[in-house]
Amino acid sequence: PFPLLSRLEAADNEVAELGADIAALPALKSLDVANNQLRELPAALADCPRLKEANFRGNQLKDKRLEKMVNGCQTKAILEYLRAGGRGKGKAESAREEARKKKREKQQKKDGRDGEQDELEEASKLLVKVLHVSENPAPLVVKASPGVKDVRPFIVCCVLKGVNLKAGNALKRFLSTQTKLHEDICEKRTAATIATHDLQLIKGPLVYDVQPPDELKIMPLGRKEIKAKDLLRQLQSEAEEQRKQKKRQNVSGLHKYLQLLDGKDNYPCLVDAEGIVISFPPITNSEKTKISRDTRNLFLEVTSDTSLHICKDVMDTLILKIAELNRFTLENKEDSGSDNESDALCGPGNLNPSQNVQPMNFPLVVEQVRVVDTDGNLKVLYPSKTDLTTVSSLLTVIR
C-alpha cells in the first residue's frame, strides 16, 4: 500500500507485532521500532532490499541471541541472522550464508559487466511480462506439507511461457545453461537445486512433500521407475565403478550429489495431482515431465535447505538466462530442422509448427505461482514486486 515509503518510525508505541507484509515496502531505508512490545522479528525484514538502518532496541525478544544483537550489532548483521533462519543457526552457518551472498553478488556483477556493451540494444529485446495470480484464470498452486520443514524447507516456483527450444541447438544450450547454474550460483547443488518441467505434462495442484526412501518412487530422467532407496544404491554402485575405471576420486553426473541426502530419514519430492513424483531434489526430475524441443511453456522449480533468499536469487538468474537464450535463438534465426542429439535426449513431442512462431519483441510471460501451507495460507509468491530486481540492469520487467 505504501511502495514509496522510505522511513518508518514507530518507537514507544506499544507495537506488539511486525507483519511479514513489511517486505512489500521496497523503498524502506530506515525503520525505528525501539521500546515496543515486540517478541519476534519477522524473517521478511531481510527481504526489504534497501533497508540500511533499523532500531529494535528496548524490545523483549524471545530469541535472546537476537536481543543481544539488536543492542550491539549493525543492521546488516541482524538482517543476515534473520535471513539465515534465526535461532539454531550458529556462527558457522551465518558465515557460510555471508560467503554465499558475496559469491552471488560477484556472479551478478560479472553478468552485468558482460552485458554492459549491449545493454542499450538489449533493453528493447530482453523483456519479461509478469502475469499476476489474479489475472490468471487457472493459476498453478503448490501445497507444502509440514514435513518439508525438517528436510528441505524452501521452494520457489513459477511458470514461464513463450520459450523457443525448437530451433537448432536451442535445447542443448538450455540444458548446458542449467548445468552451469548448478555448478556456479547453486554451488554444486549444495545451496539450491533447479528443476525444469514441461508445463503441458503437469497436472496440478502440486504437493511439495516428504516420503521415506523405501516408499518414494520416481521415474528418473532416462531410467525406469525405481524406489529412491534403490536409485541411490544404484548410483552409488555406478560411482564406485566410475572411480575404478578412471582411477580417480572425482565422479560426474548425478553421482556427485549423493552425499547431499546423507542422514535424511525422509526425502523431499514434488508430487502431481495423480500422485506421481515429478521431482526428487537435489537428485533428479521425472521422465514424465521432461522438456523436449517442442516444449513452449515451462514450470520452473528451485529448492534449498539453506534459505528462501537463495531460491529467489537462483530463480531470478535462471529467468534472465532463459531470456538471453531466447533472444540468441531469435536473432540468429536458427533452422528449426532436426537436431539429432537433442531428439535423442528428449524423444518425440507434440509437433505443431504454428506454436513455435515467436514475434521478435514479444516478451516471455512469467506467471506467478503461490506456495501455500496445508491450510491454504500463503508461504511464498513468486515473482513478487521485489523479485527480479537482482537482474534488473539486464532484464526489462513489465508488471
Side-chain angles (χ1 to χ4, degrees), residues 298-317:
L298 300 169
F299 175 70
L300 306 179
E301 158 211 341
V302 177
T303 59
S304 171
D305 63 359
T306 304
S307 81
L308 183 64
H309 189 72
I310 285 175
C311 288
K312 291 191 169 194
D313 273 2
V314 170
M315 187 69 88
D316 286 357
T317 307

Side-chain angles (χ1 to χ4, degrees), residues 11 152 159 224 226 239 253 337 377:
R152 195 174 182 85
V159 167
K224 294 179 181 178
I226 189 171
N377 300 311

